[in-house]
Amino acid sequence: MVEKEYKLPIENIDEMASKIRSLGAEEGSRNHELTVMYDNPDQLMRQLDGRIRVRTITQPDGEKKITFSFKKPLVREGIKQEIEHETNVDDQEELEHILAYMNFSAVSSYERFRTTFIYIPTNPSRDEDTALHIDLDEFPFGNFVEIEGSNIDA
């Protein structure tokens, strides 16, 4: 699958959330995310310009969802496009053992809070999927809005 997204820094996250709500977007919960990137001693992921990541998403009620992904950029400027393959993980400890046996170890990590909105335009100009995922990301170093969709370039 090819992911298309556009990310911009924002000053005021509450103001941006209010603007997104005013469009009629459906608001999800504010979740905590811990993302850990993996590579091997030969730096295979770096050589491929790809990323293997394990992400733990913790919802406000404490329920956790774990995903395992491979991502590789196709286009970095403007609307970012990446190859993305992702699956849910039932047993994070077992996945970490598999990665270790393959000689992959954690090389970096980051945390953020993410609130996701789903926006469906009322008058789509195309017949394809027009839903947009709009994420408000809160990092220790700043806030961002990320817009993702299959025809984001439209």
Side-chain angles (χ1 to χ4, degrees):
M1 174 178 146
V2 175
E3 171 185 73
K4 293 181 180 181
E5 66 183 34
Y6 197 71
K7 187 176 283 200
L8 295 165
I10 56 174
E11 295 275 328
N12 187 320
I13 201 158
D14 293 329
E15 184 177 299
M16 181 60 71
S18 180
K19 288 178 182 179
I20 295 168
R21 285 185 204 101
S22 75
L23 296 172
E26 182 180 323
E27 184 173 357
S29 60
R30 179 178 179 261
N31 299 323
H32 177 266
E33 296 184 356
L34 170 62
T35 301
V36 180
M37 305 292 193
Y38 289 80
D39 207 343
N40 66 10
D42 295 330
Q43 298 184 330
L44 178 63
M45 291 298 97
R46 187 176 211 182
Q47 290 175 36
L48 293 175
D49 193 24
R51 298 185 313 278
I52 289 179
R53 75 173 189 210
V54 176
R55 175 171 287 161
T56 303
I57 302 165
T58 306
Q59 298 176 351
D61 64 4
E63 185 175 328
K64 292 186 179 192
K65 175 184 175 185
I66 301 163
T67 61
F68 178 63
S69 307
F70 170 80
K71 298 180 87 166
K72 180 176 175 43
L74 297 172
V75 177
R76 289 184 183 271
E77 300 297 320
I79 297 173
K80 184 173 78 172
Q81 296 181 45
E82 294 186 314
I83 295 169
E84 179 180 39
H85 296 281
E86 183 171 271
T87 190
N88 292 326
V89 175
D90 292 327
D91 188 336
Q92 183 174 358
E93 187 176 327
E94 194 62 27
L95 174 61
E96 289 172 357
H97 287 304
I98 292 168
L99 288 167
Y101 281 118
M102 294 170 51
N103 213 17
F104 279 81
S105 60
V107 293
S108 67
S109 66
Y110 63 88
E111 294 184 63
R112 68 179 170 201
F113 284 95
R114 170 173 271 186
T115 304
T116 299
F117 296 81
I118 304 296
Y119 172 69
I120 301 173
T122 54
N123 295 315
S125 60
R126 298 184 180 186
D127 291 332
E128 59 190 82
D129 181 22
T130 56
L132 296 175
H133 289 251
I134 304 171
D135 297 316
L136 294 181
D137 291 335
E138 303 168 60
F139 292 94
F141 54 84
N143 301 321
F144 294 83
V145 61
E146 178 179 296
I147 304 167
E148 181 180 333
S150 62
N151 78 359
I152 194 172
D153 54 339

